[in-house]
Amino acid sequence: MELNYRLSASLVLACGIASVLVLSGASAADRVPDFNRQIRPILSNHCFQCHGQDSASRSAELRLDLRSSATELGAIVDGDPSASELIARVTSSDPESRMPPPEVKKPLSKAQIELLRSWIASGAAYSNHWAFERIERPPLPEMPDRWPGKVHNAIDRFIAGRLRTHDLTPSAEANRTTLIRRLYQDLLGLLPTVDAVNAFIQDSSPDAYSRLVEQLLDSPHYGERWGRHWLDQARYADSHGYTIDGPRTMWPYRDWVIKALNDDMPFDQFTIEQLAGDLLPDATKSQLVATAFHRNTMINQEGGVKADQYRHEALVDR
């Protein structure tokens, strides 16, 4: 079976790989703080409230969310933390000039200040939010001549690279019993039968593991296991919510989600049909059912409810 997009599983795997790619690399690169992963959270949590894009709450003209503003106004001096007003303010002992102001009760830790120092010393590079960056295939980390773990694929090389930066070695490979248990619980949310365990243990072929993965992805229980994550995010329910919590018929939408995952529907189509399946040319019954995604919001049936008010609230919630 061709695994082009395995919706929820693909998302989880992609996030895991992205984390590995971001965290991997040579030790020299690790000494340069990553803007999105390490610096943006500091600025966002401690600085943007007064020096961000919201003009209503901004203090002075300084915007730390824009590199041009930060450098033009002297908050950041490329390569020179000691000359940067940002460092002077976050380390000041004077309550009048200390940033963030003491009354905000969001002081920076010593580790956060050192990250800002290192970032400015390295050139204070800004970067867009990761969602707007072009996806590039990174170079594979070099492997040492002797490495105690097995390298089966490219992802293993990134993991190995990260382990090496911390002088760590991989754990021993799990035995067959543990592997099949992990696969069943992860992909199906079920435990393997005794017969399935014995068959996997006795299968000595080199592709035994990959064939087991394919077998479990073909199981109808796969969509049930992974569909629940999407249904949770969509707030699927068989009742309206609020006090009365009357019943509603939503199970066809639930079954649509499960079938979409089991059919390996591409993610773009998965979202299009739920958001606007009724607007597609010659929309099928299945595509109409998909738009029940919009009906997962709670409905208030209590007496005295203003219909137009709760219609508005449901639209905003949606």
Side-chain angles (χ1 to χ4, degrees), residues 40-282:
R40 188 192 293 275
I42 298 175
L43 299 179
S44 178
N45 293 333
H46 300 272
C47 308
F48 285 175
Q49 180 177 344
C50 297
H51 300 290
Q53 64 180 354
D54 186 357
S55 59
S57 61
R58 189 184 309 142
S59 298
E61 292 301 316
L62 174 63
R63 288 187 60 173
L64 291 174
D65 62 315
L66 296 178
R67 192 179 193 279
S68 57
S69 174
T71 54
E72 287 172 8
L73 296 177
I76 294 173
V77 178
D78 287 357
D80 193 349
S82 61
S84 299
E85 187 67 16
L86 173 62
I87 300 300
R89 290 302 188 98
V90 299
T91 57
S92 174
S93 57
D94 180 4
E96 295 296 323
S97 60
R98 177 85 179 205
M99 292 292 166
E103 61 269 20
V104 176
K105 297 181 180 180
K106 287 187 175 182
L108 271 68
S109 67
K110 291 182 178 179
Q112 289 174 319
I113 293 173
E114 287 308 309
L115 273 174
L116 291 175
R117 286 186 193 275
S118 299
W119 172 60
I120 294 175
S122 67
Y126 277 65
S127 57
N128 292 326
H129 187 278
W130 63 265
F132 301 105
E133 294 285 0
R134 179 182 176 87
I135 297 176
E136 302 284 356
R137 186 178 296 277
L140 295 178
E142 295 293 333
M143 292 298 299
D145 294 334
R146 293 184 180 181
W147 179 248
K150 292 184 179 179
V151 178
H152 299 285
N153 51 52
I155 297 174
D156 288 344
R157 293 180 65 170
F158 283 99
I159 294 173
R162 183 60 175 174
L163 290 175
R164 287 164 56 203
T165 63
H166 292 282
D167 296 323
L168 297 174
T169 55
S171 301
E173 187 171 308
N175 59 40
R176 287 292 184 95
T177 303
T178 302
L179 285 176
I180 189 172
R181 180 185 175 91
R182 288 176 179 171
L183 275 181
Y184 264 79
Q185 290 188 313
D186 187 38
L187 296 179
L188 306 185
L190 302 170
L191 291 172
T193 64
V194 173
D195 290 341
V197 173
N198 290 335
F200 183 57
I201 292 175
Q202 295 168 12
D203 190 345
S204 58
S205 58
D207 63 342
Y209 182 84
S210 59
R211 283 191 292 104
L212 179 60
V213 171
E214 295 282 354
Q215 173 190 330
L216 299 186
L217 290 176
D218 275 336
S219 169
H221 298 305
Y222 172 83
E224 297 167 359
R225 163 74 171 91
W226 284 97
R228 63 182 292 270
H229 296 293
W230 184 267
L231 292 170
D232 283 347
Q233 292 299 316
R235 283 181 290 174
Y236 165 81
D238 286 305
S239 60
H240 291 319
Y242 293 109
T243 304
I244 297 176
D245 200 25
R248 62 181 171 193
T249 303
M250 286 295 291
W251 61 263
Y253 170 73
R254 175 203 65 195
D255 288 1
W256 182 91
V257 171
I258 292 172
K259 186 176 187 300
L261 267 76
N262 283 332
D263 289 348
D264 207 12
M265 180 182 288
F267 186 72
D268 57 350
Q269 191 67 22
F270 182 73
T271 51
I272 288 170
E273 293 194 10
Q274 290 179 85
L275 292 174
D278 57 324
L279 300 180
L280 295 174
D282 301 318

